[in-house]
C-alpha cells in the first residue's frame, strides 16, 4: 500500500487580527515609549554612533523599555522574559557566540545545501530535529515554503538578507525572538509597529502564541524589538523563516514537505543550486481525516478511488519523484523510510549522515523509546539537557479504517508503488 496523507493546517493570519494586535500593543506600550523617547532625546546617544554601526554586535542590554506582559496559567512571565534576554539570549547560536578563537564571528547566512522536500506527515519534523543534533548541521526550524509560496520574494529573502536593514536573531529553545533595526532608530522608537510587523511576518506563529514584547536598546544604539512566545510550539514551530547563520563546513538545511508535490519546485530548486542534496521521507499510512472512507472514493459503490483528493494524490510517489528526476540525478536524492525512522531512528539517521557526507555523530545513544508516546524521543535535544519528544501534533492516534477500504486502496496503489520501487531502486515493502 502506498502513502496517504492529511490535510495540513497552515496558519493564516488575517490582516485585521494583526491590526488589532498591533493596536493593543501600541496602547500598552505608548507610555513607556514616550519615556523612552525622552531618555533618548536627552542623552542623544546615537548621534555619533549611528553611521559607524553597520554590523550587528553582541547586544548589551541597557534598557528594558517596553513590556506587555500578563499572567498565563498563573505564572508571571516577567521574570522569565528578563531571564531570557539577560542570560540566555544569543546563546546557542554560532553566529553570535563570543568565542576566544573568534571563529564564530565568521558565520554567515547561506542558501541551503540540503533540503527535506517531503513528504507531508512522513516524519519530516522528527528527521529534522534528529539531524539538528549534528554539530555540522544548521537547520531552519520552521517551514519557509520558499520554492512553493514565496518564490517571488527572491533568494535574498530566503537566505534572510532583507532588502531593509533589519536583522533577525532567534533563540529557538529560549522562546524569545528579536528583530534589530540598524537605522532610523528614533523613528522606530516612536513607532515600533513596523518592526514588530516584520518580525511577526517572519514567524510561523499567531497572536495566541504571543505572551509579551519589549523594546530595548543595545550598545551602538540598535533598536531591538523582541517578542516572547508561549512554550507550546517551541520544538515544532518556533523559529524565524530565514536561514540560520552557519560556519564554513556546516550544512545549512530546511524542511518544507510540500516541495515534493508542487510542480514548479524542482526547476526552482535547481536554479538555486544544481548540487543541492534532497531528502524525502516516504511512508505508507492512512490519513486521519474523518470521514476518510467517503472522501477517498469518487464512487463508493464501484470502488473508484479519488486519486485527485490531495491526501491520496500525495501518495503517488512515483509521479512526484519522476518530476525531481528530470532535474536531479538519483544519487542526489535520498529516500528515508518513514517506518524505519520510527522503528530504528539511529539506523535511518546513519544513512542520512552518510548521504550528507557527514561523520556519523547522531547515533543510538541519542534516542530512547518513550512508551507513553509510542515513539522514539531525544535524550538531549539541541540546546537542552532534558529528554524531549515531539509535540502533541506528531504521533497522533489514528482511527481504524474499514478493512475493505484498505484493501481497495492497496489495489489502487500497487502499480504506482511498483513503479516507485523501480525508480527508487529500492523495495519499501508496502502491501
Ligand atoms: N519520533 C517521532 N515522534 C513523533 N512522531 C514521529 C516520530 N517519528 C516519526 N513520526 C511521525 O511523524 C509524523 C508527522 O510527520 P511530519 O512531521 O512530516 O508532519 S508535517 O507534514 O510536518 O505536518 C507523525 O504522524 P502522525 O502519527 O500522523 O501524527 C508520526 O507518525
Amino acid at each position: 500500500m502506498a502513502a496517504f496523507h492529511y490535510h495540513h493546517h497552515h496558519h493564516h493570519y488575517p490582516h485585521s487580527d494583526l491590526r488589532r494586535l498591533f493596536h493593543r500593543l501600541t496602547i500598552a506600550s505608548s507610555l513607556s515609549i514616550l519615556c523612552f523617547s525622552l531618555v533618548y532625546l536627552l542623552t542623544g546617544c546615537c548621534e555619533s554612533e549611528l553611521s559607524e554601526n553597520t554590523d550587528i554586535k553582541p547586544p548589551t542590554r541597557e534598557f528594558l523599555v517596553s513590556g506587555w506582559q500578563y499572567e498565563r496559567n498563573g505564572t508571571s512571565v516577567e521574570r522569565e522574559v528578563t531571564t531570557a534576554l539577560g542570560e540566555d539570549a544569543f546563546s546557542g547560536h554560532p553566529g553570535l557566540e563570543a568565542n576566544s578563537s573568534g571563529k564564530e564571528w565568521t558565520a554567515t547566512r547561506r542558501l541551503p545545501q540540503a533540503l527535506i522536500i517531503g513528504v507531508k506527515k512522513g516524519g519530516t519534523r522528527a528527521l529534522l530535529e534528529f539531524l539538528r543534533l549534528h554539530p555540522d548541521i544548521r537547520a531552519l526550524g520552521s517551514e519557509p515554503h520558499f520554492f512553493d509560496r514565496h518564490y517571488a520574494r527572491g533568494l535574498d529573502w530566503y537566505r534572510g538578507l532583507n532588502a531593509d536593514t533589519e536583522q533577525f536573531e532567534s533563540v529557538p529553545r529560549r522562546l524569545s525572538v528579536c528583530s534589530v533595526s540598524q537605522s532610523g532608530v528614533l523613528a522606530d522608537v516612536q513607532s515600533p509597529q513596523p518592526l514588530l510587523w516584520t518580525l511577526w511576518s517572519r514567524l510561523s506563529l499567531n497572536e495566541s502564541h504571543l505572551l509579551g514584547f519589549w523594546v530595548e536598546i543595545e550598545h551602538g544604539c540598535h533598536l531591538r524589538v523582541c517578542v516572547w512566545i508561549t512554550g507550546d510550539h517551541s520544538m515544532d514551530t518556533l523559529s524565524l523563516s530565514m536561514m540560520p547563520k552557519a560556519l564554513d563546513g556546516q550544512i545549512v538545511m530546511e524542511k518544507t514537505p510540500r516541495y515534493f508535490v508542487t510542480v514548479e519546485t524542482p526547476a526552482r530548486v535547481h536554479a538555486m543550486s544544481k548540487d543541492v542534496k534532497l531528502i524525502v521521507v516516504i511512508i505508507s499510512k492512512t490519513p486521519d481525516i474523518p470521514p476518510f472512507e467517503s472522501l477517498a472514493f469518487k464512487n463508493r459503490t464501484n470502488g473508484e478511488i479519488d486519486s485527485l483528493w490531495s491526501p491520496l494524490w500525495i501518495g503517488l510517489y512515483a509521479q512526484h519523484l519522476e518530476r525531481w528526476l528530470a532535474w536531479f540525478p538519483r544519487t542526489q536524492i535520498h529516500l528515508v523510510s518513514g517506518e524505519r525512522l520510527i522503528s530504528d531512528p539511529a539506523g535511518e539517521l546513519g544513512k542520512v549522515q552518510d548521504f550528507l557526507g557527514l561523520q556519523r555523530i547522531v547515533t543510538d545513544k541519542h534516542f530512547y523509546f518513550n512508551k507513553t508516546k509510542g515513539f522514539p524521543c531525544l535524550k538531549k535535544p539541541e540546546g537542552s539537557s532534558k529528554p524531549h519528544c515531539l509535540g502533541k501534533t506528531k504521533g497522533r492516534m489514528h482511527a481504524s479504517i474499514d478493512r475493505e477500504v484498505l484493501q481497495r486502496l492497496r489495489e489502487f496503489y500497487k502499480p504506482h508503488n511498483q513503479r516507485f520501487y523501480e525508480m527508487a531502486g529500492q523495495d519499501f515493502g508496502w502491501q
Side-chain angles (χ1 to χ4, degrees), residues 6 8 119-126 130 143 255 257 285 338 341-342 373 375-377 390 393-396 398:
Y6 313 83
H8 192 59
V119 299
K120 200 186 262 190
K121 295 294 166 196
T124 54
R125 173 58 56 192
F130 297 166
E143 293 178 9
K255 77 122 180 159
K285 68 196 278 189
L341 191 61
I342 297 169
K373 174 108 183 145
F375 282 90
C377 298
L390 294 191
T393 58
K394 308 289 176 184
R396 303 153 308 156
H398 286 227

Side-chain angles (χ1 to χ4, degrees), residues 93-396:
H93 255 244
L96 290 154
E97 269 169 15
N99 176 300
S100 53
S101 74
K103 201 177 171 214
E104 274 78 354
W105 294 104
T106 64
T108 51
R109 289 189 209 287
R110 297 196 310 257
L111 291 167
Q113 295 112 299
L115 296 173
I116 298 175
I117 57 173
V119 299
K120 200 186 262 190
K121 295 294 166 196
T124 54
R125 173 58 56 192
L127 178 62
L128 191 81
E129 293 305 327
F130 297 166
L131 279 173
R132 263 179 196 289
L133 297 175
H134 201 293
D136 292 336
I137 289 183
R138 300 286 297 143
L140 173 57
S142 60
E143 293 178 9
H145 284 280
F146 174 67
F147 295 104
D148 57 341
R149 295 194 184 133
H150 302 298
Y151 194 62
R153 295 179 189 234
L155 285 171
D156 274 352
W157 177 88
Y158 184 41
R159 194 156 33 133
L161 302 180
N162 264 13
D164 51 38
T165 53
E166 274 146 346
Q167 291 278 337
F168 301 83
E169 306 305 339
S170 74
V171 189
R173 302 286 176 267
R174 299 299 177 182
L175 314 180
S176 71
V177 192
C178 297
S179 166
V180 183
S181 159
Q182 295 176 63
S183 64
V185 172
L186 274 177
D188 285 335
V189 168
Q190 276 152 8
S191 170
Q193 285 89 343
L195 257 180
L196 265 174
W197 180 284
T198 327
L199 178 62
W200 204 241
S201 68
R202 279 286 191 171
L203 292 164
S204 6
L205 297 165
N206 66 28
E207 187 185 342
S208 68
H209 304 119
L210 184 68
L211 284 179
F213 90 104
W214 64 95
V215 180
E216 62 166 12
I217 235 180
E218 59 188 68
H219 276 321
C221 290
H222 300 308
L223 177 79
R224 292 159 50 79
V225 174
C226 304
V227 291
W228 193 64
I229 294 148
T230 67
D232 308 358
H233 297 259
S234 58
M235 193 70 170
D236 292 351
T237 56
L238 181 57
S239 176
L240 291 165
S241 33
M242 66 195 307
M243 293 305 148
K245 285 189 174 171
L247 301 169
D248 275 1
Q250 283 183 315
I251 294 181
V252 176
M253 63 190 299
E254 63 115 325
K255 77 122 180 159
T256 305
R258 194 166 169 269
Y259 291 163
F260 188 57
V261 298
T262 35
V263 177
E264 60 282 10
T265 357
R268 290 175 174 181
V269 172
H270 190 267
M272 173 190 73
S273 159
K274 61 177 180 32
D275 301 317
V276 71
K277 294 189 171 175
L278 306 165
I279 300 170
V280 198
V281 190
I282 31 118
I283 193 164
S284 166
K285 68 196 278 189
T286 46
D288 205 12
I289 306 169
F292 172 77
E293 274 92 343
S294 54
L295 291 170
F297 291 97
K298 250 198 219 154
N299 183 334
R300 181 85 199 249
T301 0
N302 73 9
E304 195 186 346
I305 297 286
D306 184 0
S307 63
L308 292 179
W309 184 43
S310 147
L312 298 187
W313 176 76
I314 289 171
L316 299 171
Y317 294 151
Q319 192 176 303
H320 308 304
L321 184 64
E322 195 168 38
R323 278 195 310 268
W324 287 90
L325 287 173
W327 290 92
F328 295 95
R330 174 69 186 88
T331 48
Q332 229 164 292
I333 303 174
H334 180 70
L335 303 171
V336 173
S337 153
E339 285 88 357
R340 283 201 299 269
L341 191 61
I342 297 169
S343 64
D344 176 21
E348 281 307 294
L349 262 287
K351 287 185 257 172
V352 177
Q353 290 167 95
D354 292 349
F355 170 69
L356 294 173
L358 296 174
Q359 218 185 315
R360 285 194 177 204
I361 287 180
V362 183
T363 61
D364 50 5
K365 287 200 299 289
H366 292 92
F367 303 99
Y368 75 98
F369 188 81
N370 184 312
K371 282 195 187 131
T372 327
K373 174 108 183 145
F375 282 90
C377 298
L378 291 176
K379 283 184 189 158
K380 279 185 188 180
E382 188 205 24
S384 164
S385 55
K386 280 189 248 141
H388 190 97
C389 295
L390 294 191
K392 285 196 284 286
T393 58
K394 308 289 176 184
R396 303 153 308 156

